[in-house]
Amino acid sequence: MKKFYFKLEAPLKVKKINEDLCKQKLAEAITLKLKEENRLNFLMSTEAKARDDLKDKLWNSARVEDLCRFITYICDLNSNIQLQISAVNNAAREYDRCRFNYIETRKERQVIEKVKEKQFAAHLKEINSEEQKISDESGIAREMFRKGETP
């Protein structure tokens, strides 16, 4: 039986390695995006809590110094929130880019895999045809031998 040989095996291996690298980069991008979103959520909840504390201070007579500190703190939180929003947007863009690259490399690998499957199916068909010929020839030879004829 003839062994199956796929001429594009080396490019297929390269495509698989490239796909694995893209998958790893995508995982890193997902992790970064989630980290940035969590940080944004933390800042927003901290800012909301600070606003609530400020309201409580206003209802319970507070010193002007404390109110100024709260307002400064809230302003700093708001500027950090704006910076974090841009960081989240950058992480989301990087995630989208990595996802697109991964999808493209996966498609490229799948194209070569399809070619390999088709060639392997053709190889099996050829082997089955050869085996059928051998089986037919041996059957004919056996019948001729049984009848006493010489092939």
Short mmCIF file of all heavy atoms in Angstrom, two decimals, residues 63-99:
data_model
loop_
_atom_site.label_atom_id
_atom_site.label_comp_id
_atom_site.label_asym_id
_atom_site.label_seq_id
_atom_site.Cartn_x
_atom_site.Cartn_y
_atom_site.Cartn_z
N ARG A 63 -17.23 70.79 57.15
CA ARG A 63 -16.31 71.92 57.00
C ARG A 63 -16.02 72.15 55.52
O ARG A 63 -16.05 71.23 54.71
CB ARG A 63 -15.01 71.64 57.75
CG ARG A 63 -15.24 71.56 59.24
CD ARG A 63 -13.99 71.39 60.00
NE ARG A 63 -12.88 70.83 59.22
CZ ARG A 63 -11.81 70.28 59.75
NH1 ARG A 63 -11.68 70.20 61.04
NH2 ARG A 63 -10.86 69.82 58.99
N VAL A 64 -15.70 73.37 55.21
CA VAL A 64 -15.41 73.75 53.83
C VAL A 64 -14.18 73.01 53.32
O VAL A 64 -14.14 72.58 52.16
CB VAL A 64 -15.22 75.28 53.72
CG1 VAL A 64 -14.78 75.68 52.33
CG2 VAL A 64 -16.49 76.00 54.10
N GLU A 65 -13.20 72.81 54.16
CA GLU A 65 -11.98 72.09 53.76
C GLU A 65 -12.31 70.67 53.30
O GLU A 65 -11.79 70.19 52.29
CB GLU A 65 -10.99 72.02 54.92
CG GLU A 65 -10.50 73.33 55.41
CD GLU A 65 -9.76 73.19 56.74
OE1 GLU A 65 -9.67 72.08 57.28
OE2 GLU A 65 -9.26 74.22 57.20
N ASP A 66 -13.19 70.00 54.05
CA ASP A 66 -13.58 68.63 53.70
C ASP A 66 -14.32 68.61 52.37
O ASP A 66 -14.09 67.73 51.53
CB ASP A 66 -14.45 68.02 54.80
CG ASP A 66 -13.69 67.79 56.09
OD1 ASP A 66 -12.44 67.70 56.02
OD2 ASP A 66 -14.34 67.67 57.15
N LEU A 67 -15.20 69.59 52.18
CA LEU A 67 -15.95 69.65 50.92
C LEU A 67 -15.00 69.90 49.75
O LEU A 67 -15.16 69.29 48.68
CB LEU A 67 -17.01 70.74 51.00
CG LEU A 67 -18.14 70.51 52.02
CD1 LEU A 67 -19.08 71.70 52.02
CD2 LEU A 67 -18.88 69.23 51.71
N CYS A 68 -14.03 70.76 49.93
CA CYS A 68 -13.06 71.03 48.86
C CYS A 68 -12.25 69.77 48.53
O CYS A 68 -11.99 69.49 47.36
CB CYS A 68 -12.13 72.16 49.27
SG CYS A 68 -12.92 73.78 49.24
N ARG A 69 -11.87 69.04 49.56
CA ARG A 69 -11.13 67.79 49.32
C ARG A 69 -11.98 66.79 48.55
O ARG A 69 -11.49 66.13 47.63
CB ARG A 69 -10.67 67.19 50.65
CG ARG A 69 -9.51 67.90 51.26
CD ARG A 69 -8.96 67.13 52.46
NE ARG A 69 -8.13 68.02 53.24
CZ ARG A 69 -8.30 68.28 54.52
NH1 ARG A 69 -9.26 67.69 55.20
NH2 ARG A 69 -7.50 69.10 55.15
N PHE A 70 -13.25 66.67 48.95
CA PHE A 70 -14.15 65.74 48.25
C PHE A 70 -14.30 66.14 46.79
O PHE A 70 -14.25 65.29 45.89
CB PHE A 70 -15.53 65.71 48.92
CG PHE A 70 -15.71 64.57 49.86
CD1 PHE A 70 -15.67 64.78 51.24
CD2 PHE A 70 -15.92 63.28 49.39
CE1 PHE A 70 -15.84 63.72 52.11
CE2 PHE A 70 -16.08 62.23 50.26
CZ PHE A 70 -16.05 62.44 51.63
N ILE A 71 -14.50 67.41 46.54
CA ILE A 71 -14.69 67.88 45.17
C ILE A 71 -13.42 67.65 44.35
O ILE A 71 -13.48 67.18 43.20
CB ILE A 71 -15.12 69.35 45.16
CG1 ILE A 71 -16.54 69.46 45.72
CG2 ILE A 71 -15.05 69.94 43.76
CD1 ILE A 71 -17.03 70.86 45.95
N THR A 72 -12.27 67.92 44.95
CA THR A 72 -11.00 67.67 44.25
C THR A 72 -10.83 66.18 43.97
O THR A 72 -10.43 65.79 42.86
CB THR A 72 -9.82 68.18 45.11
OG1 THR A 72 -10.02 69.55 45.41
CG2 THR A 72 -8.50 67.99 44.38
N TYR A 73 -11.17 65.37 44.95
CA TYR A 73 -11.08 63.91 44.79
C TYR A 73 -12.00 63.43 43.67
O TYR A 73 -11.60 62.64 42.80
CB TYR A 73 -11.42 63.23 46.12
CG TYR A 73 -11.39 61.72 46.07
CD1 TYR A 73 -10.22 61.04 45.77
CD2 TYR A 73 -12.54 60.98 46.35
CE1 TYR A 73 -10.18 59.65 45.74
CE2 TYR A 73 -12.51 59.59 46.33
CZ TYR A 73 -11.34 58.94 46.03
OH TYR A 73 -11.31 57.58 46.00
N ILE A 74 -13.22 63.93 43.64
CA ILE A 74 -14.18 63.54 42.60
C ILE A 74 -13.70 64.01 41.23
O ILE A 74 -13.81 63.28 40.23
CB ILE A 74 -15.59 64.08 42.94
CG1 ILE A 74 -16.14 63.31 44.15
CG2 ILE A 74 -16.52 63.93 41.75
CD1 ILE A 74 -17.44 63.86 44.70
N CYS A 75 -13.13 65.21 41.16
CA CYS A 75 -12.60 65.70 39.88
C CYS A 75 -11.45 64.82 39.39
O CYS A 75 -11.36 64.50 38.20
CB CYS A 75 -12.14 67.15 40.01
SG CYS A 75 -13.49 68.31 40.13
N ASP A 76 -10.58 64.42 40.32
CA ASP A 76 -9.48 63.51 39.95
C ASP A 76 -10.02 62.17 39.47
O ASP A 76 -9.52 61.61 38.48
CB ASP A 76 -8.55 63.29 41.14
CG ASP A 76 -7.65 64.48 41.42
OD1 ASP A 76 -7.56 65.37 40.54
OD2 ASP A 76 -7.05 64.53 42.53
N LEU A 77 -11.03 61.67 40.17
CA LEU A 77 -11.64 60.41 39.74
C LEU A 77 -12.24 60.54 38.35
O LEU A 77 -12.10 59.65 37.51
CB LEU A 77 -12.71 59.96 40.74
CG LEU A 77 -12.22 59.29 42.00
CD1 LEU A 77 -13.38 59.03 42.96
CD2 LEU A 77 -11.52 57.97 41.68
N ASN A 78 -12.90 61.66 38.09
CA ASN A 78 -13.50 61.87 36.76
C ASN A 78 -12.44 61.92 35.67
O ASN A 78 -12.62 61.36 34.58
CB ASN A 78 -14.35 63.14 36.74
CG ASN A 78 -15.69 62.94 37.41
OD1 ASN A 78 -16.22 61.84 37.43
ND2 ASN A 78 -16.23 64.01 37.98
N SER A 79 -11.31 62.57 35.94
CA SER A 79 -10.25 62.61 34.93
C SER A 79 -9.65 61.21 34.74
O SER A 79 -9.35 60.81 33.61
CB SER A 79 -9.18 63.63 35.29
OG SER A 79 -8.50 63.24 36.46
N ASN A 80 -9.51 60.46 35.84
CA ASN A 80 -9.02 59.08 35.72
C ASN A 80 -10.02 58.21 34.96
O ASN A 80 -9.62 57.33 34.18
CB ASN A 80 -8.76 58.47 37.10
CG ASN A 80 -7.50 59.01 37.73
OD1 ASN A 80 -6.63 59.54 37.05
ND2 ASN A 80 -7.40 58.88 39.05
N ILE A 81 -11.31 58.47 35.17
CA ILE A 81 -12.34 57.72 34.44
C ILE A 81 -12.23 58.01 32.95
O ILE A 81 -12.32 57.08 32.12
CB ILE A 81 -13.74 58.05 34.99
CG1 ILE A 81 -13.94 57.38 36.36
CG2 ILE A 81 -14.83 57.60 34.02
CD1 ILE A 81 -15.20 57.79 37.09
N GLN A 82 -12.02 59.26 32.57
CA GLN A 82 -11.88 59.61 31.15
C GLN A 82 -10.66 58.93 30.53
O GLN A 82 -10.73 58.40 29.42
CB GLN A 82 -11.80 61.13 30.97
CG GLN A 82 -13.08 61.86 31.35
CD GLN A 82 -14.28 61.32 30.59
OE1 GLN A 82 -14.24 61.11 29.38
NE2 GLN A 82 -15.37 61.10 31.32
N LEU A 83 -9.56 58.92 31.27
CA LEU A 83 -8.37 58.23 30.79
C LEU A 83 -8.63 56.73 30.66
O LEU A 83 -8.20 56.09 29.69
CB LEU A 83 -7.18 58.47 31.73
CG LEU A 83 -6.61 59.88 31.76
CD1 LEU A 83 -5.57 60.01 32.87
CD2 LEU A 83 -6.01 60.23 30.42
N GLN A 84 -9.34 56.17 31.62
CA GLN A 84 -9.62 54.75 31.59
C GLN A 84 -10.58 54.39 30.45
O GLN A 84 -10.46 53.33 29.85
CB GLN A 84 -10.19 54.28 32.94
CG GLN A 84 -10.22 52.79 33.11
CD GLN A 84 -8.84 52.16 32.98
OE1 GLN A 84 -7.83 52.74 33.38
NE2 GLN A 84 -8.78 50.97 32.42
N ILE A 85 -11.52 55.27 30.15
CA ILE A 85 -12.42 55.04 29.03
C ILE A 85 -11.61 54.93 27.73
O ILE A 85 -11.86 54.04 26.90
CB ILE A 85 -13.50 56.14 28.93
CG1 ILE A 85 -14.52 55.96 30.06
CG2 ILE A 85 -14.19 56.13 27.58
CD1 ILE A 85 -15.51 57.10 30.18
N SER A 86 -10.63 55.81 27.55
CA SER A 86 -9.80 55.72 26.34
C SER A 86 -8.96 54.44 26.36
O SER A 86 -8.75 53.82 25.32
CB SER A 86 -8.93 56.96 26.17
OG SER A 86 -7.94 57.00 27.16
N ALA A 87 -8.49 54.03 27.56
CA ALA A 87 -7.73 52.77 27.65
C ALA A 87 -8.63 51.58 27.30
O ALA A 87 -8.19 50.64 26.61
CB ALA A 87 -7.16 52.60 29.06
N VAL A 88 -9.88 51.61 27.74
CA VAL A 88 -10.82 50.54 27.40
C VAL A 88 -11.08 50.52 25.90
O VAL A 88 -11.10 49.45 25.27
CB VAL A 88 -12.15 50.70 28.20
CG1 VAL A 88 -13.24 49.80 27.64
CG2 VAL A 88 -11.92 50.41 29.67
N ASN A 89 -11.24 51.69 25.30
CA ASN A 89 -11.46 51.76 23.85
C ASN A 89 -10.25 51.23 23.08
O ASN A 89 -10.42 50.51 22.09
CB ASN A 89 -11.78 53.20 23.43
CG ASN A 89 -13.14 53.64 23.91
OD1 ASN A 89 -14.01 52.82 24.20
ND2 ASN A 89 -13.32 54.94 24.04
N ASN A 90 -9.05 51.58 23.53
CA ASN A 90 -7.84 51.06 22.88
C ASN A 90 -7.76 49.54 23.02
O ASN A 90 -7.41 48.84 22.06
CB ASN A 90 -6.59 51.70 23.49
CG ASN A 90 -6.44 53.15 23.11
OD1 ASN A 90 -7.02 53.61 22.14
ND2 ASN A 90 -5.67 53.88 23.90
N ALA A 91 -8.08 49.03 24.19
CA ALA A 91 -8.05 47.58 24.40
C ALA A 91 -9.10 46.89 23.54
O ALA A 91 -8.86 45.80 22.99
CB ALA A 91 -8.28 47.25 25.88
N ALA A 92 -10.25 47.52 23.38
CA ALA A 92 -11.31 46.95 22.54
C ALA A 92 -10.88 46.92 21.07
O ALA A 92 -11.13 45.94 20.35
CB ALA A 92 -12.60 47.74 22.70
N ARG A 93 -10.21 47.99 20.62
CA ARG A 93 -9.72 48.01 19.23
C ARG A 93 -8.65 46.92 19.02
O ARG A 93 -8.65 46.24 18.00
CB ARG A 93 -9.15 49.39 18.89
CG ARG A 93 -10.20 50.40 18.50
CD ARG A 93 -9.58 51.63 17.86
NE ARG A 93 -8.76 52.39 18.80
CZ ARG A 93 -9.22 53.29 19.64
NH1 ARG A 93 -10.50 53.55 19.68
NH2 ARG A 93 -8.40 53.94 20.45
N GLU A 94 -7.77 46.77 19.99
CA GLU A 94 -6.74 45.74 19.89
C GLU A 94 -7.37 44.35 19.88
O GLU A 94 -6.96 43.47 19.13
CB GLU A 94 -5.75 45.87 21.06
CG GLU A 94 -4.65 44.85 21.07
CD GLU A 94 -3.70 44.95 19.88
OE1 GLU A 94 -3.66 45.99 19.20
OE2 GLU A 94 -2.99 43.95 19.63
N TYR A 95 -8.40 44.15 20.69
CA TYR A 95 -9.12 42.88 20.71
C TYR A 95 -9.74 42.60 19.35
O TYR A 95 -9.63 41.49 18.81
CB TYR A 95 -10.20 42.90 21.80
CG TYR A 95 -11.25 41.85 21.62
CD1 TYR A 95 -10.98 40.51 21.91
CD2 TYR A 95 -12.51 42.17 21.15
CE1 TYR A 95 -11.94 39.53 21.73
CE2 TYR A 95 -13.47 41.21 20.96
CZ TYR A 95 -13.20 39.88 21.25
OH TYR A 95 -14.14 38.93 21.05
N ASP A 96 -10.40 43.61 18.78
CA ASP A 96 -11.03 43.44 17.46
C ASP A 96 -9.98 43.10 16.40
O ASP A 96 -10.20 42.23 15.54
CB ASP A 96 -11.79 44.69 17.06
CG ASP A 96 -13.06 44.89 17.88
OD1 ASP A 96 -13.56 43.90 18.46
OD2 ASP A 96 -13.54 46.03 17.96
N ARG A 97 -8.82 43.77 16.45
CA ARG A 97 -7.76 43.50 15.49
C ARG A 97 -7.24 42.08 15.64
O ARG A 97 -7.08 41.36 14.65
CB ARG A 97 -6.62 44.51 15.68
CG ARG A 97 -5.53 44.44 14.61
CD ARG A 97 -4.36 45.34 14.93
NE ARG A 97 -3.64 44.96 16.13
CZ ARG A 97 -2.78 43.94 16.19
NH1 ARG A 97 -2.55 43.20 15.13
NH2 ARG A 97 -2.16 43.66 17.31
N CYS A 98 -7.00 41.65 16.87
CA CYS A 98 -6.50 40.29 17.11
C CYS A 98 -7.54 39.24 16.70
O CYS A 98 -7.19 38.20 16.14
CB CYS A 98 -6.14 40.11 18.58
SG CYS A 98 -4.66 40.99 19.08
N ARG A 99 -8.80 39.53 16.96
CA ARG A 99 -9.87 38.60 16.59
C ARG A 99 -9.94 38.46 15.06
O ARG A 99 -10.03 37.35 14.53
CB ARG A 99 -11.21 39.08 17.14
CG ARG A 99 -12.36 38.10 16.95
CD ARG A 99 -13.61 38.58 17.65
NE ARG A 99 -14.01 39.92 17.26
CZ ARG A 99 -14.83 40.18 16.24
NH1 ARG A 99 -15.33 39.21 15.51
NH2 ARG A 99 -15.16 41.43 15.96
#
